[in-house]
Each structure stands twice: as C-alpha cells, then as structure tokens.
Amino acid sequence: MISLKERLTDILIKNKLITEEQLNEAIEAQKKKGGKLRDIIVELNFVKEGDLISALSEGLDFPLIDLKRLKIDPEIVKIIPIEVSRHYQIVPISKMGDTVTLAMVDPLNIFAIDHVEKLTGYKINPIIASLQDIVQTVEVSYPDLAKDMLNSLVKEMSDTSIELIREEAEHTPTDQELGKLSQDAPVIKITNILLEEAVKKKASDILIEPFERKLRIRYRVDGILQITEAPPKRMHASVVSRIKVVSELDIAEHRLPQDGRFKARVAGREVDFRVSILPSSFGEKVAIRILDKSQAMLNLEQLGFSRDILDKLEKVSRLPHGMILVCGPTGSGKTTTLYSVLKSVDAPEKNIVTVEDPVEYQLEGINQVTVRQEIGLTFASALRSILRQDPNIIMIGEIRDFPTMDIAIKSALTGHLVLSTLHTTTASGSIIRLVNMGVEPYLINSSVVCIAAQRLIRKICTHCKEEYEVDDEILRTLRIKIEGKQKPKFFRGKGCNRCFNFGYSGRLGIAELLLLSPKVRELILNRAQEHMIKQQARQEGMRTLREEGMSAALRGFTTLEEVVRVTAPDEN
C-alpha cells in the first residue's frame, strides 16, 4: 500500500510545485522535529495549503470539499466521537443509506477508515479537506464539549465526603503545596479547557474572578462579557498557580499585582496569552488577553470601514510627514488599525519603527520596541533613540503624557510620518485633549493631518440572519428617513450553533475621520470649543460614528440595537 507521504512527493514533483532540493530540505526538517511532511512543506512556505490540497485531490482522485461553505447537520457529527475526529483529523459531513461521507486530511489512512467502519457500522466514502478547515469544523460542531468535560471533571473531584470538603475549605495551601497542585492532571485539564473554550469562541479576554463562596469565569466575545461554567471555589488557588507557572510568575507572591505572558498551541495554531493578576478581597483575580494571530485582520480592506473612510486613510498614510491619530476607548481596535496602515505602506525602501507597551503582534519587516518602565525605557526615551535611527515612519502605541507628545510632534515636523493612539471618545475631542496636555494650537496645525475616532460593532451572524420590521416611532427617534411608503430593511440574527445562539459573529470597524482643513485649522488656532470644530468638520463632509453605524445597519451588516449600544447620539 502506497503511503500518503510517497504519493504526496510524487504529486508535488510531477506538478512542479516544489523542487527536489526543497523536498529534501522538508524531509530533513521532518527528521529533526517530527510532524507530517505536508505540514512542514506548508510551514516552510514551499507550497500554499490550498494549492497542496488541490494537487492532492487531483493526484489521488478524491473529491475536494470546502468545509467553510458547508452547513453540517449536528446529528451527523455525533456519529463519530470527538476524540476519534481529533485523533485521525476527520469529520463526518453527510450520511446516505449505509454510507457516511468522511472529510479527511489523509484519505489514504486505511486505519482511520477501518476504525470508523467498525465503530459506526457504516461504509465510508472518503473525501479530502484541509487540516485547518477540519479543525475549525470540529470546534464548531461540538459546542458543548468543554462544558461536558468541565462538569465531569468537577463531579469527579467532588466525589468526596462532606467532612473532607469542609476540611479543605478551612485549609489554605502553602506555596509548596500550590506548586505541586498546579502540576496535577485535573488542574492542568481544567486550565486547558478554559483556554481552549475561549479560543474556540474567539474570545478576546478571559476573566477569572473569586468571590466569597464561588468562582466566576467570563469570556469577552465580540466585546461582550459572557459567563461560562466555572470549577468550584476551592480550585481557584490551584488554577491561578497553574497560570502563574506557565507565565513564569512568582507563585509565592499574593499581595502585589503581576504581569506575564505565555504561548500555547491551541487547535493547531499558535496563540499568545497576556496575563494580569490582581489581588482582591477573596483571592487573586486573573485577566488573560488572548492574541490569536490567525484571527488578526491586518488589512485595511478587512476592517469593515466604509469606502470613503478607507480612501481617506490610504491617502493620508501616503504622506511623507505629519501625524495620524486614532482615538477611542480600550478595546476599540485602535492598534489593529495602525498595524493595518503600517502593513499597507510597508516597503523595502522604508525604515519603519514602532514603540509599544507591549508589542501585541510581531509584524514581519517592521522594527518593534517594547517599553520597559522598570529600567527607564519609556515612550519618550525610546522615541529619542528611534530618531537617531533615521526612520521614515514611527508608530507610538499610545500617547499618555506631554513629553511623549512633544517628541512625537517634533518628529512629525522634522520629516517623519508619525502614527499613534489617544484615549478620547471623538475626533474633535482629541484636539481639545492635545491643548489641555499643553500643546500649542499652532503646533497641532503644523503636525496633525488626520484624527480618526473608531469603535467596533458586532456583525450579524450570516448563518441565522433574518429580516425584520422596525416600528416607525423607533425610526423617527433614530432620525432614519422614510422615503415614500417603502421602509428601509433591517436585519438581525436569530441565534444558532455557529454563533453560540447570540445572533452575532465577529466585529467590524466604524470611524469618524477628521481631516484638518484650512477652516478647521483656523478654529484650532482660535482655541474653538469641541462642538464648533465638529460642526465645521460635518459641514465639510465628516460623518459621525452614529451615522457610520446607521449606514452599516442599513447595509445589513449589524443591528440598530448594536449601533445604539456602541455610539452616542448626534447633538445636531
């Protein structure tokens, strides 16, 4: 029987997708670190996974399927236990009579086919699919896996006498005991389940919060906190110690806040976890920020902004010097927008340097500096050194004080393009913030070219999207015009397995973009109030956050409720 590895090498060489030298290099890499040859070939960027799958489909004469476009019946998935699906990298997609169609990474794996035939009693019709598609389909198709595993683990650990539980509740583990407990299999399993479930739900944060009699676990999904199943309170110290161990923090320190980070491979992809531990009344609260590179959208076209905003952003990002500011609350996607701008203007002839606290995503070809306050490496000191490196473009993670702003403005005035963020709510309000920080109006006019205020709003799930009618009174309250007898169409999500019954899946960006025109600069020079600057900008074509949100709702991307939740009403 010819193995997939042998057939794979023949197909790739025959189709001239790789050379003999590249094949030998991949085989040597496989010998050193193990793994599957096809994964290593893709990892080394010799062949794109899509091209490899297409070649295999044609060479092996197996049909190719795109699982992302397929809606699978949950009852079909239950034919095979998830452990078997994960082990063999397979997923059942349909059943007809006594035959089950099985999507497989390796359709020549006779052991997997034989195992499934004996396990289910069905005949198997193998087809080929990509590993990433299969992993994601398994995650979506078994939504209650983590909950069931957590409940079974908690039940398993709770099968003790009442006396024993009372005795444990009264006993505070020593640091040595916590160190040992953090290495116990149940603690590791529960911690891993919490992380896997968060990644599966595409959460941005995990909050582990201790209270007097219980432990609360919450995930922030699409900007909204959701409560999930939690282990018993008595496991809190062990779980926190486990997180400290993997983050290389001090498990003996319980009185002071600690910050750390770690990496893990979850569902076949590498994910960064940023950890913050804060002492509270009933124990240490843990906040974990999830930085999933596979979910990061570092392309301006994918951020969801309207065409007008994109065109203006692209135009100002091509300027040789000046300052571009992006403002908004924490979690509004400011850094992602700046990263996307950097990627769009990156070129071999440009020297781009960033200074961040901390660096969220590593950008290939861009020099990134992490601020370290404890050793005196602040935003201001880092910027002074960066200017000696002759950069073309500088990105500052956040402007928090006047010294940083002073150097940023001087950089913009001396021929550099400077990008940064501010914690203000509106574009016109950023001007007032700069003045209040001590920046002279004439310096603002000479350096700043554009200010964008942005928010992230949840998108309607495309799998359960439905049209519905909105009352006329609501339309009038929201100042939505009704032309003739035909009312505008609005949509919402009913809730399904794909969106965990929330009706939303993913987020898109909306922004108001303030370009400093001559009339706006005149108002700034005269120290005009915020509402006057905003009024002038709107007369020149600036659309507010509420207007951009309403436009997204009218185009069927989000709901009116979401726009009202995220944006403030326009005053005029």
Side-chain angles (χ1 to χ4, degrees):
M1 175 68 67
I2 299 176
S3 68
L4 179 64
K5 179 178 178 180
E6 294 170 326
R7 293 291 297 274
L8 173 65
T9 56
D10 290 343
I11 291 167
L12 292 178
I13 295 294
K14 182 180 178 181
N15 288 279
K16 297 181 180 179
L17 292 175
I18 62 172
T19 63
E20 290 281 359
E21 291 77 12
Q22 289 175 326
L23 177 60
N24 292 333
E25 184 181 339
I27 292 172
E28 285 300 316
Q30 183 188 33
K31 290 177 181 177
K32 289 179 182 178
K33 66 177 184 178
K36 296 184 178 179
L37 182 62
R38 55 179 285 168
D39 295 338
I40 292 172
I41 290 172
V42 173
E43 188 179 319
L44 291 172
N45 293 322
F46 291 158
V47 182
K48 292 182 179 179
E49 187 180 21
D51 295 337
L52 185 143
I53 293 294
S54 298
L56 279 177
S57 172
E58 184 178 346
L60 298 175
D61 198 25
F62 282 104
L64 172 64
I65 189 167
D66 184 356
L67 293 178
K68 294 190 293 294
R69 299 177 178 273
L70 189 66
K71 188 173 182 180
I72 304 173
D73 186 346
E75 295 302 317
I76 298 295
V77 177
K78 293 178 182 177
I79 292 174
I80 300 176
I82 189 168
E83 295 82 5
V84 177
S85 288
R86 282 180 167 171
H87 179 72
Y88 291 120
Q89 297 171 343
I90 59 177
V91 62
I93 60 172
S94 66
K95 180 172 75 72
M96 185 172 292
D98 62 348
T99 302
V100 169
T101 299
L102 198 64
M104 307 178 67
V105 173
D106 179 3
L108 297 180
N109 190 339
I110 58 173
F111 299 105
I113 294 173
D114 185 57
H115 186 172
V116 174
E117 284 181 341
K118 289 179 180 178
L119 183 69
T120 63
Y122 292 109
K123 295 177 183 177
I124 299 302
N125 174 38
I127 60 176
I128 195 167
S130 72
L131 173 60
Q132 184 179 0
D133 281 0
I134 287 180
V135 169
Q136 290 179 352
T137 302
V138 168
E139 287 178 8
V140 171
S141 301
Y142 293 85
D144 296 325
L145 172 70
K147 180 178 177 180
D148 294 343
M149 287 182 68
L150 184 58
N151 287 337
S152 65
L153 274 171
V154 170
K155 183 178 183 301
E156 177 185 318
M157 299 185 67
S158 301
D159 289 338
T160 56
S161 65
I162 295 175
E163 290 77 19
L164 180 59
I165 292 174
R166 186 179 298 123
E167 184 179 84
E168 286 185 350
E170 293 171 356
H171 172 65
T172 302
T174 65
D175 294 331
Q176 290 78 13
E177 289 172 333
L178 282 174
K180 292 179 181 178
L181 283 171
S182 68
Q183 303 299 327
D184 284 351
V187 174
I188 294 174
K189 282 184 180 178
I190 285 181
T191 307
N192 289 347
I193 287 170
L194 293 175
L195 298 177
E196 287 178 12
E197 182 73 355
V199 173
K200 183 175 81 171
K201 288 187 174 182
K202 299 180 181 178
S204 60
D205 299 272
I206 306 171
L207 298 184
I208 302 175
E209 303 164 302
F211 296 98
E212 186 175 8
R213 300 183 183 278
K214 68 175 184 177
L215 184 65
R216 184 172 71 178
I217 308 289
R218 293 190 290 173
Y219 297 143
R220 189 182 297 278
V221 181
D222 293 334
I224 304 295
L225 285 171
Q226 305 172 6
I227 295 178
T228 189
E229 296 291 324
K233 172 70 186 295
R234 60 191 175 85
M235 292 198 65
H236 170 250
S238 304
V239 171
V240 173
S241 294
R242 174 62 186 168
I243 293 169
K244 285 183 178 180
V245 168
V246 297
S247 305
E248 298 183 354
L249 299 177
D250 184 2
I251 66 169
E253 180 56 72
H254 308 289
R255 299 169 300 171
L256 296 173
Q258 295 190 73
D259 295 316
R261 64 191 309 162
F262 64 95
K263 288 185 180 181
R265 190 169 293 278
V266 182
R269 57 185 187 265
E270 191 177 278
V271 181
D272 285 349
F273 297 90
R274 206 164 68 208
V275 178
S276 174
I277 297 179
L278 180 71
S280 68
S281 301
F282 300 106
E284 292 174 293
K285 176 186 175 182
V286 181
I288 304 175
R289 171 62 58 89
I290 302 171
L291 302 172
D292 187 352
K293 295 177 183 177
S294 68
Q295 301 298 323
M297 297 183 297
L298 302 182
N299 185 316
L300 278 174
E301 297 286 343
Q302 297 175 355
L303 297 179
F305 294 137
S306 65
R307 187 70 256 171
D308 179 57
I309 297 291
L310 285 175
D311 290 341
K312 290 176 180 176
L313 267 179
E314 289 174 354
K315 183 178 180 179
V316 296
S317 65
R318 303 291 173 183
L319 294 174
H321 56 81
M323 183 183 293
I324 300 171
L325 294 174
V326 180
C327 64
T330 301
S332 60
K334 302 185 295 296
T335 304
T336 301
T337 298
L338 292 185
Y339 278 164
S340 301
V341 171
L342 288 182
K343 292 298 291 183
S344 70
V345 300
D346 185 26
E349 64 272 13
K350 291 183 179 179
N351 180 11
I352 302 176
V353 187
T354 77
V355 52
E356 306 168 60
D357 183 20
V359 171
E360 292 196 8
Y361 294 106
Q362 296 291 340
L363 303 177
E364 187 177 351
I366 293 174
N367 307 284
Q368 295 172 272
V369 179
T370 299
V371 167
R372 297 180 63 187
Q373 302 279 355
E374 68 276 10
I375 62 172
L377 183 60
T378 62
F379 278 108
S381 62
L383 278 172
R384 291 189 189 97
S385 298
I386 287 170
L387 289 174
R388 301 188 194 106
Q389 299 277 325
D390 190 28
N392 300 104
I393 301 173
I394 303 170
M395 183 191 118
I396 307 167
E398 181 186 348
I399 294 178
R400 301 172 180 170
D401 50 37
F402 178 75
T404 307
M405 174 57 76
D406 184 49
I407 299 173
I409 286 177
K410 289 176 180 175
S411 302
L413 292 173
T414 53
H416 306 88
L417 183 64
V418 179
L419 290 76
S420 190
T421 69
L422 275 177
H423 277 295
T424 52
T425 55
T426 63
S428 51
S430 298
I431 301 292
I432 308 304
R433 172 72 188 281
L434 294 179
V435 172
N436 291 339
M437 287 175 68
V439 182
E440 291 294 333
Y442 74 89
L443 288 175
I444 297 174
N445 283 346
S446 302
S447 57
V448 179
V449 295
C450 166
I451 302 176
Q454 76 171 65
R455 301 290 188 275
L456 293 177
I457 55 177
R458 292 182 292 173
K459 292 192 296 184
I460 300 171
C461 174
T462 55
H463 299 282
C464 59
K465 183 177 180 180
E466 66 173 5
E467 187 179 341
Y468 75 108
E469 191 170 314
V470 179
D471 292 338
D472 292 346
E473 183 62 31
I474 294 176
L475 295 178
R476 281 192 292 271
T477 302
L478 296 176
R479 301 180 183 178
I480 298 174
K481 295 180 181 179
I482 304 175
E483 298 179 0
K485 294 183 178 180
Q486 188 170 0
K487 294 169 65 175
K489 293 181 179 180
F490 292 99
F491 298 85
R492 63 187 174 192
K494 291 190 297 183
C496 63
N497 288 337
R498 296 293 185 100
C499 61
F500 302 97
N501 293 314
F502 281 98
Y504 296 96
S505 180
R507 290 189 288 180
L508 58 87
I510 56 172
E512 61 181 32
L513 202 66
L514 172 62
L515 297 174
L516 269 65
S517 66
K519 289 187 177 180
V520 171
R521 293 183 193 276
E522 185 179 343
L523 288 172
I524 295 172
L525 198 60
N526 294 327
R527 297 180 182 267
Q529 295 181 0
E530 178 182 344
H531 73 274
M532 297 174 66
I533 298 173
K534 180 179 178 180
Q535 185 177 18
Q536 178 60 41
R538 292 189 70 182
Q539 288 176 4
E540 295 176 0
M542 184 186 83
R543 287 156 57 91
T544 64
L545 286 165
R546 174 60 66 90
E547 289 170 336
E548 284 288 317
M550 288 299 176
S551 175
L554 287 166
R555 286 179 285 152
F557 294 144
T558 189
T559 62
L560 287 176
E561 292 83 359
E562 183 67 4
V563 175
V564 172
R565 182 185 71 85
V566 172
T567 64
D570 297 326
E571 291 134 1
N572 50 349

